[in-house]
Amino acid sequence: MSPRTLRLEIEKTTRTTYMVGTELMVNLNRCAPHQSKFFTVKCTPNVHFKITPPTSEESSPPNLLAPNSSLLITMDEVSETANDNKLSVRYYGEKMEKLGNAILHLTAVEISLDVDADRDGIVEKNNPNKASWKWGPNGHGAILLVNCDSESTFRKTLDSEKEEINRVSDLKDMSTMVLRINGPPDLPQGYKLSMHITQTDSESVRVFRPRKSGKAHTSWKHKILKLFLKEHLMVVGMDKLAEEVPYLGGKTELEFFVEGLRFPDRGFDGLITINLSLLEPTGEGLPGTPIFTDKVMFRISPWIMTPNILKPMEVFVCSTSDNNAFLKSIKNLVDSCGYKLKVCHEYVNRNDRWMQDEIEFGYIDSPHHGFPVVLDSPRDQGLKDFPYEVLLGPDFGYVTRYIDHKASSLDSFGNLEVSPPVTVNGKSYPLGRIIIGVAFPTTTHGRNMTQVVQDFLWAQKVQEPIALYSDWLTVGHVDEFMTFVPAPDRKKFRLLLASPDAGYKVFRTLQKNGHGKAEMFPDFEEAITVDDILSDKKLQAENDYVQNCIDWNRDVLKKELGLDDEDIIDLPILFKMLEEYDKRGQRAAAYYPDMVNMIVLGDQLGIPKPFGPQVNGKCALETEMRSLLEPLGLKCTFIDDFASYHKLLGEVHCGSNVLRQPSTFRWWNLEL
């Protein structure tokens, strides 16, 4: 820290407050009387000074006044009372005649604005790195949560949108900041402490402090009045950029609560600086000038998605007029796994069954607290009120991004996935990488995920997104051709990809083994034989196209996730092209229930029942799936979603969602 410049005046007493640990610099020529040649300095014991440039060793006071003579003043201990330390400079002429005297009264204090800069959950004193941010296990910088849950159970409002703190429980969602003071009981007259932030940061943070209490009052009038008083006062935030904070005197601490208001996003890197300045009076009617400023920096926690390999906590599904059998199957699966099931009934979902498309679960985290946060998609169909009205609550946050145009199918969150942890070319992604679907790069009229959502996902930084080509699908979601399942070896997971080639291989093997007359969709009006499927040249051509699209994505995923072919399992799934979808040409949909579109609950998989050809009383497609997945220790349960989901162009994953435990990896330890 560079020295603070201080002016002295001849035959006047200058008073200032000194911050222990800093230096004051006095230019001795600025106030020297005309024809001054020498000077002497005297001070009380707690004041120390150094003359620069130093005088020669042979000389003794008085000191020769050089053109650049200065004093560097320091103090070791805080003052007991205001202005209790003194220093004087006496000037002399050529013949040692006294020309004038400048007097300085000093009040020494210690002031430190402190945060948990080392990220251990404790606010340490005066960490040297408290005003900056550094990623990594050896990094530093305090962490802030967006206060996006709601402590209220009635008339829900995000806590960050309320003007005041209504419940003490809300404080745990905020980060603690401590003002530590050591000094005399009172500052010299006119001095003030001011907390201040920039206009930009005021959109992202608020700071509260407890109401200063005086003597205890026990009268009934006081108790009633207290009910109507805010227990915590907002110091800075919103449009309030600066506010005086009390100097309590002695050796005291004043606790502040810092609240994040918005997530990192385009144009906002999540970094916030809070300043505390000591203001010195300059004259009646004039504003005080800052003579010392302490700074702290926070970084707002990103929103983090949870991959399939993390432990489930609760499964969410909709109840509709036609999905009772599906609902029963999901309930049986969830019960057998020992997890919770939350059913969203029709009066809430308004016959919108696509739970995966409406929301994506994630979380925020800090050394002292964390909680799940649901990201609400901009699709806004029947389930639009569910995330806010049902999920939002104490320690369950909510975030969304608004758009000013009609959402496309690619804005639904079946088009938003995240990989397990990976390492790619030596770079680690311990929280995985977000995966979204977009139009092919050469397409001029394709559908894309809306830009504001993409901007939000990129700004979180800790799960760098990957864009896949999904616009070739009628619905256009990445979960229609890929998912991840846990595995005991290699990278601890496998990427599952839909594969028409693998599907045709199963059907050709059936035909070769004499099962060409076995029927796909037995007992359904759509029943068709293996021979008929294999003789359909148009279907074969369509699936060749689909395989090309999936292979393009396969290569992207191998490169961006650092995968080998041994990390990928191809699932036997055929597709068909649908005619003139929304007047933009043909796009693909699953020919039979899309088995990759599954729900992953630990080692239990809920897979769409494909209704494949029967061989020896068993579905050949189910048999193939078991042979691919059971060697990994996974258990396959096939769920009938044919009428209630598949015919509506969705499957098990589309109709369900899973809240999972957060990763044990702390995001701030990521090397960026």
Side-chain angles (χ1 to χ4, degrees):
M1 185 180 295
S2 59
R4 171 167 69 95
T5 299
L6 180 68
R7 268 188 314 116
L8 299 183
E9 294 187 60
I10 292 296
E11 308 306 334
K12 285 188 178 181
T13 299
T14 301
R15 295 177 175 82
T16 194
T17 296
Y18 168 81
M19 203 64 54
V20 174
T22 64
E23 287 184 315
L24 297 176
M25 187 182 73
V26 176
N27 185 321
L28 293 172
N29 280 280
R30 289 180 67 176
C31 66
H34 184 58
Q35 296 183 340
S36 295
K37 299 295 183 182
F38 303 97
F39 67 93
T40 58
V41 182
K42 293 183 180 180
C43 59
T44 52
N46 190 31
V47 181
H48 311 284
F49 66 88
K50 181 170 67 174
I51 299 172
T52 62
T55 55
S56 63
E57 294 181 2
E58 293 80 13
S59 67
S60 59
N63 304 284
L64 180 66
L65 183 65
N68 57 345
S69 290
S70 297
L71 280 183
L72 288 177
I73 302 170
T74 59
M75 298 176 68
D76 294 333
E77 298 177 0
V78 301
S79 295
E80 294 183 4
T81 60
N83 301 309
D84 63 351
N85 292 275
K86 298 175 176 57
L87 178 142
S88 65
V89 180
R90 182 166 291 181
Y91 292 93
Y92 301 90
E94 184 75 40
K95 299 180 179 180
M96 296 304 300
E97 68 276 19
K98 178 183 172 184
L99 298 180
N101 201 30
I103 298 174
L104 174 64
H105 288 185
L106 292 155
T107 304
V109 298
E110 285 183 331
I111 296 176
S112 175
L113 188 63
D114 293 323
V115 292
D116 178 19
D118 59 5
R119 307 165 182 166
D120 64 355
I122 300 171
V123 177
E124 66 275 8
K125 183 176 180 181
N126 220 13
N127 188 306
N129 298 312
K130 64 185 181 182
S132 61
W133 172 269
K134 181 182 177 183
W135 291 88
N138 298 315
H140 56 259
I143 293 165
L144 196 59
L145 299 176
V146 176
N147 194 9
C148 59
D149 66 343
S150 177
E151 301 300 321
S152 302
T153 52
F154 301 101
R155 298 181 64 186
K156 286 186 180 181
T157 304
L158 294 180
D159 288 340
S160 58
E161 295 177 352
K162 298 173 184 174
E163 295 183 359
E164 57 192 52
I165 299 174
N166 299 109
R167 298 178 182 231
V168 175
S169 58
D170 197 23
L171 298 178
K172 70 180 183 298
D173 300 333
M174 305 182 191
S175 294
T176 302
M177 179 172 66
V178 177
L179 172 58
R180 292 186 168 102
I181 292 173
N182 188 12
D186 297 294
L187 290 172
Q189 185 175 0
Y191 282 84
K192 295 178 181 179
L193 288 174
S194 174
M195 186 171 289
H196 50 103
I197 56 177
T198 65
Q199 180 71 54
T200 300
D201 283 349
S202 72
E203 301 171 5
S204 309
V205 69
R206 290 192 296 189
V207 179
F208 294 88
R209 69 170 177 86
R211 179 178 293 277
K212 186 178 179 182
S213 59
K215 295 181 180 180
H217 294 281
T218 57
S219 69
W220 66 270
K221 289 183 178 179
H222 179 265
K223 290 179 179 178
I224 292 175
L225 179 62
K226 188 176 179 181
L227 294 174
F228 297 94
L229 289 175
K230 292 183 288 185
E231 290 297 307
H232 292 80
L233 305 175
M234 189 179 79
V235 182
V236 291
M238 311 299 280
D239 293 325
K240 193 175 184 181
L241 305 185
E243 178 71 12
E244 181 180 352
V245 298
Y247 172 88
L248 300 181
K251 197 167 187 178
T252 54
E253 295 184 353
L254 180 58
E255 193 172 43
F256 295 86
F257 299 96
V258 187
E259 175 188 43
L261 300 181
R262 62 172 178 149
F263 283 92
D265 210 332
R266 185 174 185 175
F268 174 52
D269 60 7
L271 294 175
I272 293 165
T273 297
I274 299 173
N275 309 275
L276 182 85
S277 293
L278 178 62
L279 304 182
E280 186 172 62
T282 53
E284 187 174 348
L286 297 174
T289 55
I291 60 172
F292 170 79
T293 297
D294 209 8
K295 297 182 179 182
V296 296
M297 179 175 283
F298 289 92
R299 192 187 198 281
I300 288 181
S301 168
W303 178 79
I304 304 168
M305 285 181 65
T306 52
N308 281 353
I309 65 169
L310 291 176
K311 183 178 179 180
M313 297 169 62
E314 192 168 8
V315 177
F316 294 80
V317 67
C318 288
S319 171
T320 62
S321 59
D322 61 350
N323 78 340
N324 288 338
F326 172 84
L327 198 60
K328 183 177 179 181
S329 297
I330 290 287
K331 185 177 187 306
N332 290 339
L333 175 62
V334 174
D335 287 347
S336 69
C337 298
Y339 304 125
K340 295 180 181 178
L341 178 66
K342 173 73 174 180
V343 178
C344 176
H345 296 284
E346 286 182 82
Y347 68 90
V348 175
N349 67 50
R350 301 183 184 91
N351 210 36
D352 179 3
R353 68 197 67 211
W354 309 112
M355 182 63 76
Q356 184 67 222
D357 289 339
E358 182 62 35
I359 59 175
E360 189 66 57
F361 286 115
Y363 67 95
I364 57 177
D365 192 22
S366 74
H368 73 280
H369 192 45
F371 53 81
V373 176
V374 60
L375 176 63
D376 186 8
S377 80
R379 70 189 281 268
D380 282 350
Q381 296 184 25
L383 275 164
K384 67 178 182 177
D385 294 332
F386 172 74
Y388 195 91
E389 296 299 333
V390 178
L391 296 179
L392 174 64
D395 280 346
F396 207 121
Y398 172 91
V399 62
T400 191
R401 284 296 174 266
Y402 298 100
I403 59 176
D404 56 5
H405 57 271
K406 186 177 183 227
S408 80
S409 178
L410 272 68
D411 292 320
S412 297
F413 285 163
N415 197 34
L416 174 60
E417 297 298 322
V418 64
S419 80
V422 292
T423 299
V424 185
N425 296 325
K427 183 175 181 180
S428 177
Y429 298 90
L431 295 168
R433 297 188 67 179
I434 285 172
I435 297 169
I436 62 171
V438 297
F440 198 71
T442 59
T443 302
T444 56
H445 300 292
R447 300 165 298 170
N448 282 290
M449 180 179 285
T450 191
Q451 194 62 47
V452 292
V453 174
Q454 291 196 53
D455 290 343
F456 173 83
L457 297 172
W458 274 98
Q460 307 315 304
K461 294 184 80 73
V462 296
Q463 296 175 304
E464 184 181 331
I466 301 167
L468 298 182
Y469 171 40
S470 67
D471 192 36
W472 57 274
L473 287 153
T474 299
V475 176
H477 296 175
V478 293
D479 71 350
E480 297 177 75
F481 64 86
M482 60 160 291
T483 193
F484 299 93
V485 293
D489 56 358
R490 296 189 62 81
K491 296 177 175 65
K492 302 302 180 184
F493 71 88
R494 294 288 191 277
L495 167 64
L496 307 186
L497 286 178
S499 171
D501 283 354
Y504 273 104
K505 184 177 180 180
V506 170
F507 288 112
R508 290 191 184 107
T509 300
L510 288 172
Q511 187 182 60
K512 182 179 179 181
N513 292 337
H515 301 290
K517 299 303 181 184
E519 288 185 333
M520 191 83 208
F521 314 123
D523 303 324
F524 286 87
E525 61 182 28
E526 293 90 351
I528 184 172
T529 67
V530 171
D531 288 341
D532 287 340
I533 290 174
L534 292 176
S535 64
D536 189 334
K537 301 301 182 184
K538 180 174 180 293
L539 183 65
Q540 176 72 65
E542 291 172 350
N543 276 279
D544 287 343
Y545 162 73
V546 167
Q547 187 67 63
N548 286 338
C549 294
I550 294 174
D551 284 346
W552 191 90
N553 289 310
R554 181 193 188 98
D555 292 341
V556 173
L557 289 166
K558 286 174 67 176
K559 177 184 176 183
E560 297 295 336
L561 298 179
L563 302 181
D564 301 318
D565 283 328
E566 291 80 4
D567 300 311
I568 302 172
I569 298 176
D570 294 310
L571 303 186
I573 301 164
L574 299 187
F575 291 78
K576 61 183 176 181
M577 303 302 288
L578 298 186
E579 299 289 341
E580 294 298 322
Y581 176 75
D582 71 3
K583 299 181 181 180
R584 296 186 182 185
Q586 294 185 332
R587 287 186 170 91
Y591 182 64
Y592 46 82
D594 189 351
M595 295 180 291
V596 78
N597 194 268
M598 63 180 70
I599 184 172
V600 180
L601 302 176
D603 61 358
Q604 302 278 345
L605 308 179
I607 304 171
K609 186 175 180 63
F611 295 97
Q614 297 288 305
V615 177
N616 299 323
K618 295 181 180 179
C619 171
L621 291 171
E622 291 186 21
T623 300
E624 179 68 9
M625 289 289 287
R626 293 186 195 278
S627 71
L628 293 171
L629 299 174
E630 287 182 350
L632 299 175
L634 301 171
K635 301 175 182 64
C636 302
T637 299
F638 292 92
I639 296 173
D640 179 359
D641 70 352
F642 193 86
S644 54
Y645 288 86
H646 172 70
K647 283 194 168 184
L648 300 175
L649 303 183
E651 309 287 357
V652 173
H653 186 259
C654 303
S656 60
N657 219 312
V658 183
L659 175 67
R660 300 180 186 274
Q661 288 184 352
S663 171
T664 56
F665 182 86
R666 312 308 291 268
W667 61 267
W668 51 89
N669 289 327
L670 188 64
E671 297 278 7
L672 286 181

